[in-house]
Amino acid sequence: MNDSIAIYPGSFDPLTLGHDDIVRRGLRLVERVIIGVAETATQSKSGLFSIEERVALIREVYADEPRVEATSFQGLTVDFARSRGARLMIRGLRAVSDFEYEFQMALMNRSLWPEVEVLFMAPDVRHTFLSSSLVREVARLGGDVTEFVSAIVKERMDERFAESASR
Ligand code: ADP
């Protein structure tokens, strides 16, 4: 296992500045962060962006950051981590409300693969209220999400909502 690599799994629909905050914190600890967009049937059907679009968007956001990689994966997160030779898994904790689910997942993942180690990181307080679902909802209702996502993500979201409005 290579402890200079960490995987950061999630749905990232879309990547927010909260996710980016966690990625940048991760880069202070490890050499390489692999963002893994989880493919599940429900996420790919009901999401704003397809899995492929999310991966492409993340790659664009980190085009100038060779230490960040983005890819999709199917199946168990621990199998994905193991296949990449990484036992470190990064997760963000925004508030106590995230804790129960994250703790449960961490222990389940550990029982599936005892070598895994989950690193929980808290974002800057400015990002603690951010979630992809809230950002999607605000944008869908015509609110300005400039403060919550990177410029590239904002542009793609505007395009996506313009497409659905003209349909
Ligand atoms: P999931 O659907 O698995 O929760 P997300 O893409 O929403 O996936 O999030 C991936 C990870 O990033 C999770 O650990 C989540 O807690 C964390 N995260 C999401 N938004 C933020 C944020 N604003 N600040 C810190 N961590 C965050």
Side-chain angles (χ1 to χ4, degrees):
M1 289 297 135
N2 184 341
D3 286 338
S4 62
I5 302 176
I7 64 147
Y8 181 26
S11 25
F12 306 103
D13 187 29
L15 183 95
T16 68
L17 292 184
H19 294 127
D20 179 64
D21 183 313
I22 299 299
V23 169
R24 305 224 173 254
R25 277 168 211 284
L27 288 176
R28 290 157 76 176
L29 303 175
V30 293
E31 200 41 50
R32 193 169 184 81
V33 171
I34 303 173
I35 301 178
V37 181
E39 280 185 40
T40 69
T42 46
Q43 275 168 358
S44 52
K45 281 195 197 102
S46 61
L48 177 61
F49 294 108
S50 70
I51 302 292
E52 297 72 32
E53 287 170 331
R54 292 177 214 174
V55 171
L57 195 45
I58 297 169
R59 286 182 183 158
E60 264 192 85
V61 169
Y62 296 106
D64 295 329
E65 182 43 89
R67 295 165 62 206
V68 177
E69 187 187 318
T71 183
S72 59
F73 72 95
Q74 286 177 325
L76 292 173
T77 310
V78 286
D79 289 340
F80 168 61
R82 198 167 13 203
S83 75
R84 299 306 303 263
R87 66 176 157 196
L88 299 179
M89 194 184 287
I90 296 176
R91 295 290 286 178
L93 273 187
R94 284 161 287 195
V96 182
S97 51
D98 278 342
F99 179 79
E100 200 168 315
Y101 174 71
E102 292 293 340
F103 191 61
Q104 208 180 3
M105 287 293 291
L107 294 182
M108 175 55 84
N109 281 330
R110 187 183 285 160
S111 75
L112 293 168
W113 185 35
E115 257 195 82
V116 74
E117 212 52 76
V118 185
L119 300 173
F120 291 112
M121 282 194 279
D124 187 285
V125 70
R126 287 176 297 140
H127 298 136
T128 48
F129 65 96
L130 272 182
S131 70
S132 296
S133 57
L134 196 54
V135 167
R136 283 201 306 273
E137 188 64 5
V138 169
R140 195 176 65 78
L141 297 171
D144 184 4
V145 296
T146 309
E147 272 181 71
F148 314 133
V149 295
S150 61
I152 299 164
V153 174
K154 163 92 167 60
E155 201 178 297
R156 290 290 179 289
M157 290 183 86
D158 288 347
E159 284 167 13
R160 183 50 46 97
F161 286 112
E163 281 164 20
S164 50
S166 64
R167 238 184 257 144

